[in-house]
């Protein structure tokens, strides 16, 4: 991953491939942000004028490259838009800094080193810039670089793609200050785990399936002192995990339930995280229509987020017990696949009439939620790319939050907004439960079409242990980005919800959630 260093060096003296400064959108035109004073001086105090001449406005996501003038030790200056100037001389918020840093880092693909002289007024600002730059510098290259015997040798990789920015240097920081060092280390750790999640999401389904995902978890557990337990087909059958088995029985790759347990000797709280891990979702017998299959490797994004969050908690040494449950299966059509109309007996003992085999995520999560509840954690949060209905409701950049406790739902929403992940609280209307009544089983896996995301949440609630605080994050929109990259968000897997889960674990460790 891209290296991160802190530096007290001035912008005029740093030797690098490029220097990043911030610009903002003011009431009367472009404004040069704090941190860029030395660069503005090198331009004779006319940096804003030069940029405006080139069409720059300071808008968020805008990146403008300039040849550096004499007086700077870099060949290129990059002006990154921060959006509107804060009111009453307030500092730029963390998300504006993240996005500007991410946009600049993407523009620096192929460079070895860049200095970031964005407006940093606090430790929190430094961490936000670090996160944005490191997230923006991400690239998934595992399947690139194959040798083409008919083409000339390429110094980069086989298809000519450039490598990400190699080193980020944050200017205006204090390398020897404990708080700044801790912020840099936290940013590096969290981003490394987000990028681990992104890599898993982007891995093609012929290489990532339940067994291979479980092997990745096992290796990470050994490296970071996390206890890993794997329930294979035999263990799932013996335990009566009918949801996982029912979804996975149509595939040659059998399902798995993976438990990751990070424990701290001084922990007073336990947080359980449950992730939907459908490594490929064809829809099963209820086959998805043409055009909807190509990105279904991303249907394990919830499990990837949970996995990354548990590992991050362990690496950060948080004083809280964090247990992750990865509900892994491949949903395929075959002569062995579950049929619409079949009835599955879940791990909880409830029976479910399967009306649509493409509503499979709630089935594997139901088993995992019941199993997680048996350990009586202080709270359970499940994460899933669960419904297209949530995308229709909230779009591609915002995830929905449902919960059986309003205060807990509010806390998660506030945490998500704080770390820069767009989210919105959603209700669990009791009247929608009746639509899942079945004449054959205890419950059906489908209900009313309208409000389908809320119906899915109500289904999951049926499998949460009595008295346990629970929340459900439907990340179907932001988990996988199909458009052009923006800010620090790449094309493909995004690692959605990892930052929220890590911050939730930190708050739980600090006792801030009650």
């Amino acid at each position: 991953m891209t290296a991160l260093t802190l530096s007290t060096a001035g912008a005029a003296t740093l030797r690098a491939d490029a220097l990043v400064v911030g610009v903002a959108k003011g009431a009367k035109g472009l404004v040069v942000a704090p941190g860029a004073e030395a660069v503005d001086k090198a331009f004779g105090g006319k940096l804003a004028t030069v940029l405006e001449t080139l069409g720059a406005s300071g808008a968020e996501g805008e990146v403008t490259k300039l040849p550096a003038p004499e007086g700077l030790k870099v060949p290129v200056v990059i002006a990154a838009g921060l959006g509107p100037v804060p009111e009453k001389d307030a500092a730029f918020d963390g998300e504006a800094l993240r996005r500007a840093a991410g946009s600049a880092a993407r523009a620096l693909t192929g460079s070895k080193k860049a200095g970031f002289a964005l407006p940093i007024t606090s430790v929190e600002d430094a961490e936000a810039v670090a996160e944005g730059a490191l997230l923006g510098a991400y690239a998934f290259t595992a399947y690139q670089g194959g040798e083409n015997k008919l083409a000339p040798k390429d110094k980069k990789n086989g298809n000519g793609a450039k490598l990400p920015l190699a080193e980020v240097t944050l200017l205006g920081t204090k390398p020897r200050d404990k708080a700044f060092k801790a912020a840099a280390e936290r940013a590096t750790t969290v981003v490394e785990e987000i990028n681990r999640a992104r890599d898993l999401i982007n891995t093609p389904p012929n290489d990532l399936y339940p067994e291979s995902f479980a092997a990745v978890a096992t290796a990470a557990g050994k490296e970071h002192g996390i206890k890993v337990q794997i329930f294979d087909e035999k263990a799932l059958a013996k335990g009566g995990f009918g949801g996982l088995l029912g979804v996975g029985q149509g595939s040659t790759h059998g399902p798995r339930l993976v438990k990751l347990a990070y424990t701290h000797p001084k922990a007073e709280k336990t947080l359980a995280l449950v992730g939907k891990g459908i490594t490929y979702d064809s829809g099963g017998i209820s086959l998805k229509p043409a055009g909807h299959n190509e990105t279904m490797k991303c249907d394990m994004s919830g499990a990837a987020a949970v996995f990354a969050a548990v590992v991050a908690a362990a690496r950060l040494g948080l004083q809280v017990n964090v247990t992750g449950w990865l509900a892994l299966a491949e949903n395929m059509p075959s002569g062995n696949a579950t049929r619409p109309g079949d009835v599955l007996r879940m791990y909880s003992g409830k029976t479910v009439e399967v009306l649509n085999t493409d509503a499979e995520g709630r089935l594997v999560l139901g088993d995992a939620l019941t199993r997680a509840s048996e350990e009586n954690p202080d709270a359970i949060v499940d994460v899933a790319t669960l419904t297209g209905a949530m995308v229709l409701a909230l779009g591609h950049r915002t995830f929905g939050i449902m919960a059986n406790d309003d205060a807990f739902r509010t806390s998660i929403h506030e945490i998500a907004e704080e770390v820069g992940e767009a989210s919105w609280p959603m209700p669990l209307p009791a009247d929608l439960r009746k639509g899942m009544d079945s004449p054959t089983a205890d419950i059906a896996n489908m209900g009313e079409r309208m409000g389908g995301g809320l119906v899915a949440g109500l289904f999951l609630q049926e499998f949460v242990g009595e008295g346990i605080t629970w929340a459900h994050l439907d990340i179907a929109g932001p988990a996988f980005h199909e458009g052009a990259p923006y800010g620090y968000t790449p094309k493909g897997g995004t690692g959605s919800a990892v930052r929220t889960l890590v911050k939730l674990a930190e708050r739980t460790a600090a006792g801030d959630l009650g």
Side-chain angles (χ1 to χ4, degrees):
M1 194 181 85
T2 300
L4 174 67
T5 58
L6 304 179
S7 177
T8 56
T13 59
L14 180 75
R15 294 184 182 275
D17 296 320
L19 184 63
V20 178
V21 297
V23 291
K25 195 170 185 177
K28 298 181 180 180
L30 183 142
V31 175
V32 177
E37 292 84 359
V39 177
D40 189 31
K41 182 178 179 180
F43 276 92
K46 297 183 178 180
L47 177 57
T49 302
V50 172
L51 288 168
E52 286 186 320
T53 301
L54 294 173
S57 67
E60 181 185 299
E62 190 178 76
V63 174
T64 307
K65 291 186 178 182
L66 297 168
E70 291 185 10
L72 300 180
K73 304 294 185 182
V74 297
V76 176
V77 171
I78 290 185
L82 290 160
V85 174
E87 295 182 3
K88 298 180 181 179
D89 297 322
F92 289 92
D93 68 50
E95 186 60 7
L97 294 173
R98 281 189 204 93
R99 291 177 178 174
S103 296
R106 287 192 297 103
L108 287 162
T109 297
S111 301
K112 291 183 179 179
K113 180 180 178 179
F116 282 69
L118 294 173
I120 294 176
T121 60
S122 65
V123 171
E124 291 75 19
D125 289 347
E127 186 170 346
V129 173
E131 282 184 351
L134 295 177
L135 287 169
Y138 171 82
F140 183 66
T141 59
Y143 291 81
Q144 298 175 344
E147 184 178 355
N148 183 347
K149 296 181 180 179
L150 299 178
K153 296 293 183 182
D154 191 293
K155 294 181 180 179
K156 300 177 180 68
N157 64 25
N159 68 357
K162 295 179 181 179
L163 297 176
L165 172 63
E167 182 180 348
V168 168
T169 299
L170 295 192
L171 305 182
T173 57
K174 302 174 182 179
R176 296 183 180 180
D177 184 275
K178 289 183 179 180
F180 276 94
K181 286 175 65 177
E185 290 170 0
R186 182 190 183 280
T188 299
T189 297
V190 172
V191 173
E192 283 179 351
E193 294 312 318
I194 291 172
N195 287 346
R196 186 201 295 266
R198 289 172 167 181
D199 284 349
L200 286 167
I201 296 164
N202 291 327
T203 299
N206 56 316
D207 282 344
L208 189 75
Y209 42 89
E211 186 177 1
S212 62
F213 196 153
V216 171
T218 298
K222 290 180 179 178
E223 181 180 358
H224 298 293
I226 300 168
K227 185 177 180 181
V228 180
Q229 181 181 4
I230 298 173
F231 299 79
D232 61 12
E233 296 103 319
K234 290 183 179 179
L236 292 173
K238 184 177 180 180
F241 291 86
L244 275 156
L245 291 168
V247 173
Q249 70 187 43
S251 174
T252 56
H253 297 297
R256 297 287 187 275
L257 178 62
V258 179
K259 176 187 176 183
L260 303 104
Y262 159 68
T263 58
H264 191 284
K266 296 183 180 180
E268 296 181 355
K269 299 282 187 178
T270 297
L271 180 65
L273 308 176
V274 177
K276 174 187 172 183
I278 303 299
T279 56
Y280 181 74
D281 182 19
S282 70
I285 297 297
S286 305
L287 193 67
K288 292 181 182 292
H292 289 73
N293 286 284
E294 291 77 4
T295 60
M296 281 300 102
K297 64 181 181 181
C298 79
D299 212 19
M300 36 59 68
S301 296
V306 165
F307 172 45
V310 175
V311 176
R315 292 180 60 186
L316 293 171
L318 302 184
Q319 194 170 313
V320 58
N321 297 328
V322 184
T323 303
W325 297 89
L326 314 182
L328 308 177
E330 186 176 62
N331 187 24
M332 296 290 285
S334 75
N336 295 323
T338 293
R339 298 159 289 251
D342 282 356
V343 173
L344 305 178
R345 184 172 295 278
M346 305 286 282
Y347 178 70
S348 68
K350 279 188 172 72
T351 54
V352 177
E353 182 181 10
V354 179
L355 299 180
N356 188 326
T357 64
D358 196 24
E360 84 299 328
R362 64 199 70 183
L363 298 174
V364 300
L365 286 173
D367 275 353
L369 285 167
T370 302
R371 181 62 183 84
S373 296
E374 287 184 339
E375 300 188 355
N376 198 33
D378 293 285
I380 298 177
V381 178
D382 76 71
V383 189
T385 48
L386 204 59
T387 66
M390 196 56 58
V391 185
L392 290 172
L394 298 178
H396 290 284
R397 298 190 182 186
T398 304
F399 63 75
I401 308 171
M402 285 156 263
N404 61 4
D405 181 281
D406 289 348
F408 190 52
R409 182 184 62 189
T410 298
S411 293
I412 292 177
H413 178 225
E414 290 174 348
I415 287 170
E417 295 297 310
E418 177 186 337
V419 301
E421 295 198 297
S423 67
W424 197 251
M426 302 294 282
L428 289 171
D431 62 284
L432 291 177
R433 170 61 182 84
K434 185 172 178 58
M436 290 184 284
D437 285 349
S438 165
T440 308
D442 296 323
I443 190 172
N445 76 329
M446 294 292 289
E448 294 183 29
R449 180 168 176 265
M450 300 302 170
L454 313 183
V455 171
L458 287 165
F459 181 93
L460 296 179
Q461 188 175 26
E462 297 272 330
F463 299 91
V464 177
E466 187 175 352
I468 298 176
T469 301
W470 158 79
H472 160 57
L473 312 186
D474 191 334
I475 61 170
F480 195 84
H481 180 56
E482 296 185 62
Y486 64 91
Y488 53 80
T489 300
K491 186 178 180 68
T494 65
S496 177
V498 175
R499 283 180 287 160
T500 297
L501 295 179
V502 172
K503 180 61 73 172
L504 175 64
E506 289 174 327
R507 290 282 181 83
T508 304
D512 292 344
L513 291 175

